[in-house]
Amino acid sequence: MLKKGSKLNSILTGSCPRCQNESMYLDKNPLHFSKLIKMHERCSHCDLKYEIEPSFFYGAMYVSYGLNVGLSIATFIVSYLFLETSIKTSFIAILVANILLFPFVLRWSRNIYINLFVSYDKKFK
């Protein structure tokens, strides 16, 4: 479904943005909270250093903020407009959605952020 070499493939799978041959994370499952943000230091295939500079992934907080705002708006629209719940119930739904999807949003924000700076390179197959 997702073609190797696309940014979307790297973002959704959490694979190395340069070669897309291995996961950047020590544990692929984002629901293992103790290993949620633990990453390999380098890719074993293309030797890409994931933390490009010290504190590189602090910039992912801005991406995470945008993803959470989008998630909150989408949850509000679905709960308030389509399901016709009260405002209070809609805000509870937003809170629950943000809590439940937190590990996924955190990983997606890191994946999006590193993919802004590193592109796929065909020579690292």
Side-chain angles (χ1 to χ4, degrees), residues 21-64:
N21 284 324
E22 75 173 12
S23 176
M24 293 188 294
Y25 301 96
L26 293 174
D27 188 355
K28 289 183 181 182
N29 188 350
L31 298 177
H32 294 155
F33 296 117
S34 63
K35 299 177 183 175
L36 182 62
I37 59 172
K38 298 198 189 243
M39 300 176 73
H40 296 285
E41 188 176 325
R42 294 181 176 273
C43 176
S44 63
H45 294 278
C46 68
D47 202 38
L48 172 69
K49 185 176 179 184
Y50 294 129
E51 193 162 341
I52 297 170
E53 58 186 31
S55 304
F56 173 73
F57 286 107
Y58 281 131
M61 289 188 299
Y62 297 104
V63 178
S64 177

Side-chain angles (χ1 to χ4, degrees), residues 1-16:
M1 182 176 125
L2 294 173
K3 197 168 99 175
K4 187 173 182 177
S6 70
K7 295 260 185 205
L8 190 60
N9 178 39
S10 178
I11 290 168
L12 294 179
T13 62
S15 59
C16 173

